[in-house]
Amino acid sequence: MNWTFAFTAHAVRQYKGLELELRRRIKGKLLFWESQNDPLNFSRAIPSFKTVTHRFRIGKYRIIVKAEREKKILTVVKIGPRNKVYNDLM
């Protein structure tokens, strides 16, 4: 069973607000990571936050996710530039 990405309503709004080329880049990366046996190998753990577990890097942007290993679901919580995406996560 492959992993799947799910989006919070907030993450969907953030995604739709990005430029078209960046959205295409993000979509391509998400599809690539979904096809992998363990997409978390491409992420970094975020131990200091309680509500999220990992982050993925796409250039200067970060995708912040909560991983549910038993269900193989990665819920996208936030998408944004690295200097702002970590605000309000605690």
Side-chain angles (χ1 to χ4, degrees), residues 1-81:
M1 180 175 159
N2 283 343
W3 287 75
T4 57
F5 281 90
F7 286 78
T8 63
H10 180 71
V12 170
R13 284 192 304 274
Q14 287 179 320
Y15 178 77
K16 288 181 178 180
L18 299 173
E19 293 179 12
L20 179 61
E21 186 57 38
L22 182 57
R23 287 196 318 256
R24 285 181 181 156
R25 223 170 125 196
I26 290 171
K27 182 179 179 182
K29 285 288 193 176
L30 292 175
L31 291 172
F32 169 75
W33 291 325
E34 275 186 340
S35 71
Q36 302 304 304
N37 288 332
D38 189 0
L40 294 178
N41 289 336
F42 299 91
S43 70
R44 291 225 175 156
I46 307 176
S48 57
F49 294 107
K50 295 177 183 174
T51 58
V52 296
T53 59
H54 292 80
R55 69 144 172 101
F56 289 91
R57 179 177 171 250
I58 300 177
K60 293 183 180 180
Y61 278 75
R62 301 295 182 266
I63 298 175
I64 308 299
V65 301
K66 180 178 181 179
E68 297 179 59
R69 286 188 178 272
E70 60 281 347
K71 295 180 183 177
K72 291 194 171 188
I73 295 175
L74 296 168
T75 303
V76 177
V77 177
K78 282 185 99 173
I79 301 172

